[in-house]
Each structure stands twice: as structure tokens, then as C-alpha cells.
Amino acid sequence: MGEHFTPNQLLGRTHTIGCVAVEITQKCNLDCTLCYLSEHSQAVRDIPIQEVFKRLANVLKHYGPGTSVQITGGDPTLRKRSELIDIVAYADKLGLHTALFTNGIAATRGLLIELAEAGLNDVAFHVDTTQERKGYDDEQSLNAIREEYIERAKGLGLMIIFNTTVHTDNFKELPMLVDFFVQHADAVSFASFQLQAETGRGEWGARTDVVDPLTVKAAIEKTISKVLPWEKVRIGHSDCHSYMPTLVADNQVYSVVDNAQLFAQFIEDFKHIQTTRQHGKAKIVRDYIQALLLRPHWIWRLAKATSAKLLEMRTSLINSRGRVHKLSFFVQNFMDASALQQDRIDACSFMVMTADGPVSMCKHNAERDEHILKPLSYTNHRGQVKQYQPLGERYREDNVIPIRLLADDKPIHEPNERSSNESSSKPVSDVNQELTHGVNNDLGARPSSVPLNQQTSANRVRKKPCSILIRSSLTALSVTLCGCLFHGF
């Protein structure tokens, strides 16, 4: 990471990498106006499950156990249901920390229950106005969908994440969104704001100057009426990511890390602890307590920092009767495909595992066809070596969109002279027939409205009565063992 390996840099200490995406399908049941997929993605066959297993094993090989893996696509819920569950179970067996990244349309309560039982750790819902969901014209109206998704995932032991693409048209609604996530901090643990980038098949292009990491962070601070210490914790390149772990009590937001020097010394002295949320809270607390007993000078230092934080939060703790929730804000500044910067690629904390190994997400999106259109050899469950062809025969015959030829590969298709308008009416083969929600089968055509699953869970997390003193003590422990919070990244 060169100059970016600062003393408060998490990567290389408590984490080997921020996260690794494993794309299990290229299909999606939406066509976002800022989509990072390519024009060919909807026609690409799902890679064999054996190849998915191989890529998950490569994540373990490159980055070690406990690595955060995004099971993504396209939308991963469009993969055959039994295979999606097997993929999550296999990742869990390898000791990886799994998150399902989905637009939520087909992520029913029943599916989430099965995935949680298979070992899923997190669910990340992408909801914003780039999806142009019928009947939802702004971010405010989309809160109804966000609330529905929260109900679907509640009580399953999953960390609930929301991804929001920040673009020129919805920037003014950012304060409302921040307030929504703060109000729902009892359920939502992570709010990721991903800045508009010109990449993939998205039609809106590059953002205007109004959308910038500084303006997004300023909007967050304005909403909570507090200046946040953004640079105290570093993850990857400073131009790519900003991470802000906070605690919420009585709808008031408080930063976790205020002293960069103290934090830097903490992660250096305790970097040997590789326990993650996948191992359970009890093990995390036990491992840190044992480590603190071996370094007793840290007990006093953390007790002092904890006391100061509790004093700062005292009014909110009283009003909330000791209830405190974790909410992390994350600002992702993706690069435009035509403006990649090598130093940012080198220090990337967000990788994609491909057939040829890990690739920076921004670089992968800029050259997606080179990866998803590449034929593969794989060994099936019978031990037979098979060939995977990304595109079906009909698509190879009828497609009129030029495909850039890959090095050492034979031409897949020679474009003909028909217009792109004619090609958009050609149906794509090999569409998953098991979907309960319609996937638009016409290449390049924007899907009509997709009905939302109206099933919501009536289940609620039953909270045992607890005194303010006990809850405040638990809060103190959470703040003291601040390293535990970063295992939730």
C-alpha cells in the first residue's frame, strides 16, 4: 500500500482486505441507470457452481479465514435457489464471512431464513432512485421498501446493510436518508453511500461537482449536527473510502474513535486477534479480554477513553434507558472507467475474485467483458472436465453488439450490419425459470415494474428487561473493546 499504510490503516493489521466480491450471476431483474454491468451481462450464462466454489477457495487462499465475501452479481437471488444456498454454505464451511448483496426483490423472508441457516452473516439491500422502481419517484417514497426489507431480515441474526448510490438528482435527499438510518439503527448496522461513477452500461454517465466525498460527508454531519472524525480510521486508499463507526443512543450519533494515535497503537498491539463476528460475540469478547490481561496497561487506557465517551453520551444513555446501537457510515468513491488511477488500484480494499485471481473492483468494472465473456474449463461433480461457454449459441448468432476479442481466444462473433434496435427484441436464452419475480428477457430493454414481495415478518426481537445500569455497563464494554466493532466491517 506504500504511503497509504499509515499507522491507523486497518488493512494489513486486523484485516487482510476490506472485502472480496464473488459474482455468481450476471443477470439482474432491474436495469439501473448507473449499472456497473456490461451490455452483455444479461445474456451471460451463470458460471458453473464448481467455478464458484473454486473462487471462494481462492479468496481463502489469498486473504485467509474470516475474509468478508460479497455474494453478488447481477443479483444473486436470480441464481437457482438450491445453488445459492449451497454457495453460502460452502463459503461458511471455508470460514469466510458472507454477505448477500441484492436489490431485495426476490430476497423473500423464506429465502433469508434458509440462507441464515446455511451460514449467511449479512444482507446488503441496494435501494435508490437509480433503479426507477415503478411508483417510487424519490428516495423518500423508497423508505417504504426499505422498511419492508428491514422487516424481512429482522430477527435472523443477520447484519442489515443498505447501499445507496448518491447521484446528482438524489443528493438533496441525503440528509433525509441519513436520518432514516439513524432512526432505524436498532436494525440497520451499516449505511454505505456509493458515489456516482461512469462505468458499465449505466446511462447517466459521470457525476457533477455537487457529488463528492467531502460534500457527502458534510451532508451526514449536517444531519446529525455534529462534526465526525473521518480520518481517524483508514481502510484502503484515502481517495476511495471513508469509514465512520458510530454509536446511536436516543437517535443521537457518537463517534467511536476520536484519538487516531490511540487507535493506531491498539490495532498494532492486537493485530494478532483474527476473531470475527462469524465466531460469535462471546468469543470476540473472550479473546479480547484474554489479550487485555496480557497487556494490563491497555485496561487503564481503554477505561479512560470509555469513561470519557460515557460522559459524552450520558444524557442520551439516560433517555434511551441504556439502549445503544452500532451504525457505521461508509462513503465509497468509485472511479470512472476512463479515469483509473494506478495507485488507487494498487491500494484497493474492494476486490473481485475472477477466474484469473483477484482484481480491483473499479478495474474489473472497466474491463468486465474481458472476464465474463471468457470461456472456462471446470471439473463437474462426477470428475469430468467440461467447457463453459458464457454465451448461448443463439446469442452468438444473433448478437449485434461487438465483443472485444480476448487475448489468445478465438473470435466469438463477427458483428453484422443490423441495427441495435433490432437486437433489443431478441430474447436472451438460458434465463433462470425458477424465479418468482419476472426477469426481463429482452436484451437491452428496461424491465417494466417488478412486483415487490409483500410478505413481511411479524417476528420481532424480544428484548429482555434490563436496568439502565446494566445496559450502560454493556455499552462501556462495547466502547472499551472498540476493536470488536471493526470486525463488523
Side-chain angles (χ1 to χ4, degrees):
M1 299 188 70
E3 64 182 284
H4 303 288
F5 190 63
T6 56
N8 61 338
Q9 174 66 244
L10 282 176
L11 301 193
R13 293 188 175 92
T14 61
H15 295 74
T16 53
I17 196 70
C19 59
V20 184
V22 175
E23 297 183 343
I24 67 173
T25 185
Q26 294 296 311
K27 297 181 177 68
C28 191
N29 45 5
L30 289 175
D31 187 12
C32 300
T33 52
L34 288 173
C35 183
Y36 56 81
L37 298 176
S38 85
E39 295 290 353
H40 300 90
S41 290
Q42 199 74 1
V44 172
R45 299 171 184 263
D46 291 348
I47 59 174
I49 194 168
Q50 291 82 5
E51 176 64 22
V52 176
F53 291 163
K54 178 182 176 181
R55 295 185 188 187
L56 289 170
N58 279 337
V59 172
L60 179 65
K61 177 181 177 181
H62 279 82
Y63 302 111
T67 299
S68 294
V69 175
Q70 296 183 1
I71 306 300
T72 183
D75 198 286
T77 59
L78 303 191
R79 182 96 190 197
K80 186 178 180 181
R81 187 183 184 114
S82 61
E83 290 189 345
L84 174 57
I85 294 169
D86 287 345
I87 288 167
V88 170
Y90 185 78
D92 181 66
K93 181 180 178 181
L94 293 178
L96 300 173
H97 187 105
T98 52
L100 180 75
F101 274 60
T102 174
N103 59 37
I105 292 174
T108 63
R109 175 76 176 182
L111 176 61
L112 292 178
I113 290 173
E114 288 189 73
L115 291 173
E117 291 174 347
L120 186 69
N121 302 109
D122 310 332
V123 58
F125 295 113
H126 176 203
V127 181
D128 58 51
T129 49
T130 67
Q131 297 167 331
E132 297 189 330
R133 302 189 191 215
K134 188 174 182 179
Y136 300 91
D137 298 328
D138 53 26
E139 299 294 347
Q140 179 77 51
S141 62
L142 284 168
N143 282 344
I145 292 179
R146 294 185 180 98
E147 289 175 345
E148 178 189 345
Y149 288 179
I150 289 172
E151 290 303 310
R152 289 188 197 177
K154 261 187 177 181
L156 300 181
L158 301 173
M159 184 171 84
I160 300 175
I161 302 167
F162 274 94
N163 293 324
T164 306
T165 304
V166 181
H167 54 89
T168 306
D169 293 339
N170 73 349
F171 179 80
K172 61 183 180 296
E173 292 191 86
L174 192 53
M176 180 277 301
L177 283 170
V178 172
D179 185 64
F180 175 87
F181 296 132
V182 171
Q183 295 287 335
H184 291 81
D186 60 325
V188 179
S189 299
F190 201 97
S192 177
F193 297 104
Q194 304 175 352
L195 276 56
Q196 177 177 354
E198 188 171 16
T199 191
R201 67 188 183 190
E203 64 188 57
W204 280 1
R207 63 180 183 253
T208 61
D209 292 339
V210 70
V211 179
D212 178 86
L214 292 177
T215 61
V216 171
K217 287 185 280 189
I220 295 173
E221 292 178 345
K222 182 179 180 180
T223 307
I224 66 174
S225 302
K226 190 173 297 181
V227 176
L228 295 173
W230 288 95
E231 302 308 316
K232 304 299 183 183
V233 181
R234 286 257 39 93
I235 295 176
H237 197 290
S238 58
D239 290 340
C240 298
H241 312 298
S242 293
Y243 174 49
M244 177 50 55
T246 71
L247 299 173
V248 178
D250 190 34
N251 293 325
Q252 298 299 308
V253 178
Y254 298 89
S255 60
V256 173
V257 179
D258 299 315
N259 187 325
Q261 183 179 4
L262 181 68
F263 174 72
Q265 293 173 346
F266 182 88
I267 61 174
E268 180 64 28
D269 288 353
F270 294 92
K271 64 183 180 182
H272 62 285
I273 299 179
Q274 296 299 309
T275 312
T276 70
R277 283 190 298 110
Q278 193 175 28
H279 298 97
K281 294 179 181 178
K283 180 170 174 54
I284 293 174
V285 172
R286 182 171 64 250
D287 288 354
Y288 271 96
I289 289 177
Q290 291 176 350
L292 286 170
L293 292 176
L294 295 176
R295 295 170 176 80
H297 66 283
W298 268 107
I299 297 177
W300 166 248
R301 298 181 72 181
L302 291 176
K304 183 179 178 181
T306 299
S307 299
K309 184 59 62 176
L310 290 174
L311 183 63
E312 178 189 353
M313 298 174 63
R314 63 188 183 279
T315 302
S316 296
L317 288 172
I318 293 172
N319 293 338
S320 69
R321 301 183 63 83
R323 292 184 179 87
V324 180
H325 308 290
K326 174 194 168 186
L327 175 62
S328 295
F329 295 105
F330 199 69
V331 179
Q332 292 235 108
N333 184 28
F334 289 117
M335 291 183 279
D336 292 339
S338 61
L340 299 181
Q341 300 174 27
Q342 191 59 46
D343 67 321
R344 291 175 66 178
I345 292 174
D346 293 340
C348 184
S349 66
F350 184 5
M351 309 294 284
V352 181
M353 185 57 70
T354 72
D356 300 316
V359 177
S360 164
M361 171 58 81
C362 289
K363 188 172 187 293
H364 182 270
N365 286 342
E367 57 187 31
R368 177 171 292 272
D369 279 349
E370 296 184 21
H371 298 287
I372 68 173
L373 298 180
K374 189 172 184 178
L376 300 171
S377 296
Y378 68 99
T379 303
N380 67 13
H381 65 283
R382 295 190 178 93
Q384 301 168 319
V385 176
K386 297 288 186 179
Q387 296 297 316
Y388 159 78
Q389 288 290 340
L391 300 175
E393 187 65 32
R394 183 172 183 178
Y395 184 87
R396 294 201 300 270
E397 291 175 356
D398 296 341
N399 172 48
V400 299
I401 304 175
I403 300 174
R404 184 150 57 102
L405 300 183
L406 310 178
D408 302 323
D409 284 338
K410 295 181 179 179
I412 298 176
H413 167 73
E414 292 295 332
N416 61 32
E417 297 299 321
R418 274 186 278 176
S419 69
S420 59
N421 289 333
E422 290 177 338
S423 70
S424 66
S425 64
K426 294 291 183 181
V428 177
S429 62
D430 196 37
V431 174
N432 193 329
Q433 297 299 318
E434 294 194 10
L435 302 182
T436 57
H437 296 273
V439 179
N440 187 282
N441 296 341
D442 296 333
L443 181 65
R446 185 176 302 284
S448 58
S449 61
V450 183
L452 290 172
N453 189 306
Q454 298 299 317
Q455 293 181 354
T456 60
S457 170
N459 296 334
R460 295 292 186 273
V461 179
R462 295 183 178 179
K463 296 185 178 179
K464 298 180 180 179
C466 187
S467 69
I468 296 176
L469 177 61
I470 294 176
R471 282 179 172 148
S472 296
S473 299
L474 292 174
T475 300
L477 179 62
S478 298
V479 177
T480 300
L481 301 179
C482 62
C484 300
L485 292 173
F486 301 101
H487 289 291
F489 166 70

